[in-house]
Amino acid sequence: MSTTDPSLPQYSSMSDDEIRLAKLGYKQGLKRQFSAFQNFGFVLTNASVLIGVIPLFGFGMAAGGPLALTWGWLIVSAFVLCIGLCMAEICSTYPTAGGLYYWTAKLGGPTYGPVFSWFEAWFNALGQIAGCSGSVLAAAQLLAEVIRVANGSVLSAYAVYGIFCAMVVAGAAVSSAGGSALKVTSIASVWIHILGTVVIVITVLATCTDKNSTSFVFSQFEDGLGATAEGFAPGLVFLIGLLPSQWSLLGYDSSAHMSEETEASYVNGPRGIVYTIIAAVLMGWALILGMTYSLGSYDDAIAVYNDGGSVASYVFTRNAGQAGGICLLMIVVAAGFACGVGTLTANSRMFYAFARDGGLPGSPFWIKLDQRSGMPVRLVWLSAICVMIIAIPSMFSVAALTAVSGISVIGFMVSYSIPVFLRITVGEKNGFVQSEFNLGRWSTLLGWMGCIWTLLATILFNFPQAYPVSAATLNYTPVAVGGMIAFAGGWWLLGARKWFKGPVSDITEPSSSVKTIGDESPAETVNVKTI
């Protein structure tokens, strides 16, 4: 049932999407230009399975071996689907660019909303920034691997970081260009990910002459991390080996961040979340099985990993040859670049919503939209700068990619679980009403399953990822996550708690004097009530 009455005079010139957005407290500022398929393509890009599975395939082989990759993928997928379904339900009720940040404020109510939404925004920003950084860094490292395979030249860590920065800048330029560029990138990305996955799986299986046994693929456990030699239980190695799976199944919240630019977002936003998770689960498992069957000797593959090489490149070239391996690697590089564009765009939308509510220093400056493209260009480039900063340790640490992946997992998963936790605890008391997409009585069970997994993942991925621990292999995830918590918590205690109240409507009722943030013109008057 529709939540609005379009027959009222104040709605006469507004679309259904604009009416719903007005009832949530906002004028239509961003251009509503993406179809359901384009939204799905955008989200599938952000949740890039190719750039998740392929770069960390070697780490997965070291952390538990085939057993951890094959079964770990299915275990993680089940928990991800639980939390994704709960997010889709909330997205249907609150389709705004603020996404999880807005949901948290509404579900927490006046008592818990401000503080929870404050930390929600910063955790989501951390996940988005680290996710983009990890995706593009992986693409840069694979491009460097292409150069090595092609002519034997081994690039330095500084050169790889230079390639990474060039790709980030190029991605920010595409994001800044606006609708047409993003539409083309989104549609192209769908085919890169779907057809690319099919091509990789078929190629490695068709060209492999010494396939591993099914017993090896589904039951072989290995500890290439050295944790058991240090006295740790094999179960810990298996759990750490879940990182590639969880890293590959993130970013689907971008569907919510693009809500204000998507047609029928109260339906297409939730579908974008759920369809992306289902597609990612199927594609990812196919990649893992294809790569594991075609791995060849485990000892040879893990020797490549221990020497700092790419196990994925090893699998590609040993089966498809030099030219074939280069082609397969370039598919993943293209997927990583597209993922970078998508994550930069989604992060800028979250920042836009946060700044629109006064959450960023100098908010009026940041929320100015580009007149030509209608894009929050300033925030795109702010995101790009943050992305380049967080990858600086990659010039000095061989564990940078897994560390950035862990940072992204924790940032994303905590930000996903906060609104879900509030939904199943105090949400209904604070006015949450299920909309077109709803889970009925299953919401509570699925929500608790997702929250429990998030708690475990948050603890787990702070553990060292190589033993014995050294400066070069240090997992700096706790440093980055702890630094963000200290920054956001300190700012909250020192002043933000006195003025930050969460989402602020930029639509006023006749009796209200609320001003539009960052807009010098008088606030538009629309006789609606904010939900």
Side-chain angles (χ1 to χ4, degrees):
M1 181 179 294
S2 175
T3 59
T4 62
D5 183 0
S7 65
L8 297 176
Q10 62 265 29
Y11 296 131
S12 59
S13 61
M14 301 168 68
S15 68
D16 192 39
D17 282 304
E18 291 173 324
I19 293 170
R20 288 173 183 251
L21 186 60
K23 283 187 169 290
L24 296 178
Y26 298 112
K27 294 181 292 184
Q28 184 71 51
L30 299 166
K31 291 183 179 180
R32 201 171 288 273
Q33 55 192 325
F34 297 115
S35 66
F37 181 76
Q38 289 162 344
N39 178 280
F40 167 71
F42 187 85
V43 184
L44 188 65
T45 296
N46 281 25
S48 176
V49 173
L50 280 173
I51 205 64
V53 171
I54 299 300
L56 292 186
F57 182 74
F59 175 79
M61 277 295 159
L67 177 70
L69 276 174
T70 303
W71 292 108
W73 181 265
L74 297 180
I75 293 171
V76 171
S77 296
F79 286 114
V80 166
L81 188 58
C82 288
I83 204 162
L85 286 168
C86 293
M87 289 169 59
E89 180 182 59
I90 302 171
C91 181
S92 184
T93 299
Y94 303 131
T96 73
L100 295 85
Y101 151 73
Y102 182 95
W103 307 348
T104 299
K106 292 300 179 183
L107 292 167
T111 302
Y112 304 110
V115 62
F116 272 101
S117 62
W118 175 263
F119 283 97
E120 168 66 40
W122 289 111
F123 268 107
N124 192 248
L126 180 68
Q128 293 277 3
I129 291 167
C132 181
S133 185
S135 299
V136 182
L137 179 60
Q141 291 177 344
L142 290 175
L143 187 56
E145 182 66 14
V146 168
I147 295 172
R148 187 198 66 78
V149 172
N151 59 26
S153 300
V154 179
L155 299 184
S156 68
Y158 301 102
V160 174
Y161 183 75
I163 295 173
F164 161 79
C165 289
M167 295 179 77
V168 171
V169 170
V174 172
S175 181
S176 299
S180 298
L182 288 177
K183 287 178 183 178
V184 171
T185 303
S186 174
I187 294 172
S189 177
V190 172
W191 298 115
I192 289 172
H193 282 83
I194 295 176
L195 295 181
T197 299
V198 172
V199 168
I200 290 173
V201 172
I202 291 177
T203 300
V204 295
L205 288 175
T207 56
C208 181
T209 58
D210 56 347
K211 294 181 181 65
N212 288 310
S213 66
T214 298
S215 174
F216 172 83
V217 173
F218 285 93
S219 62
Q220 186 79 14
F221 174 83
E222 299 285 352
D223 174 20
L225 299 181
T228 53
E230 294 291 319
F232 292 95
L236 175 64
V237 180
F238 177 87
L239 291 173
I240 293 175
L242 300 180
L243 176 61
S245 299
Q246 183 59 82
W247 158 248
S248 304
L249 293 170
L250 295 172
Y252 42 89
D253 62 306
S254 57
S255 181
H257 295 305
M258 300 304 291
S259 290
E260 293 182 33
E261 298 166 77
T262 301
E263 300 166 358
S265 56
Y266 48 90
V267 174
N268 291 328
R271 287 176 178 171
I273 294 173
V274 177
Y275 292 169
T276 296
I277 293 174
I278 293 172
V281 168
L282 296 176
M283 291 162 56
W285 209 47
L287 274 172
I288 289 171
L289 292 179
M291 296 282 289
T292 307
Y293 271 110
S294 308
L295 179 70
S297 167
Y298 177 85
D299 291 337
D300 290 344
I302 208 66
V304 171
Y305 175 77
N306 289 334
D307 288 340
S310 167
V311 176
S313 174
Y314 164 78
V315 174
F316 291 166
T317 53
R318 75 174 290 272
N319 293 306
Q322 182 186 50
I326 289 174
C327 290
L328 297 182
L329 285 170
M330 287 305 299
I331 291 174
V332 187
V333 170
F337 175 75
C339 182
V341 174
T343 340
L344 277 173
T345 305
N347 194 45
S348 67
R349 282 9 177 221
M350 193 285 299
F351 271 150
Y352 173 77
F354 194 39
R356 182 170 58 184
D357 298 328
L360 287 181
S363 289
F365 170 81
W366 294 114
I367 64 172
K368 294 293 184 182
L369 299 177
D370 180 68
Q371 292 184 351
R372 181 191 62 81
S373 64
M375 300 289 109
V377 172
R378 296 175 182 179
L379 289 170
V380 170
W381 289 100
L382 174 64
S383 300
I385 292 171
C386 294
V387 164
M388 289 186 281
I389 290 174
I390 203 171
I392 288 176
S394 67
M395 293 185 283
F396 317 104
S397 171
V398 296
L401 181 58
T402 51
V404 171
S405 302
I407 295 168
S408 180
V409 166
I410 292 173
F412 270 124
M413 291 301 293
V414 171
S415 72
Y416 292 174
S417 294
I418 290 175
V420 172
F421 175 75
L422 293 174
R423 156 73 181 93
I424 60 179
T425 53
V426 298
E428 291 185 5
K429 184 178 71 173
N430 290 318
F432 178 79
V433 178
Q434 292 174 320
S435 187
E436 279 80 358
F437 185 99
N438 71 80
L439 303 174
R441 60 189 177 89
W442 290 98
S443 295
T444 301
L445 175 61
L446 295 178
W448 279 116
M449 290 177 66
C451 290
I452 291 170
W453 164 243
T454 297
L455 179 62
L456 175 62
T458 300
I459 297 171
L460 190 61
F461 299 138
N462 277 293
F463 274 81
Q465 297 165 348
Y467 298 84
V469 179
S470 66
T473 62
L474 179 68
N475 177 12
Y476 61 89
T477 297
V479 177
V481 175
M484 186 281 296
I485 294 175
F487 168 77
W491 190 3
W492 177 261
L493 292 174
L494 292 175
R497 61 188 175 87
K498 298 178 181 178
W499 53 263
F500 182 77
K501 303 303 179 185
V504 178
S505 172
D506 66 2
I507 294 179
T508 62
E509 298 182 64
S511 59
S512 175
S513 59
V514 177
K515 293 184 179 179
T516 304
I517 298 175
D519 192 344
E520 297 174 355
S521 59
E524 180 180 348
T525 299
V526 180
N527 186 22
V528 298
K529 292 182 179 180
T530 302
I531 295 177

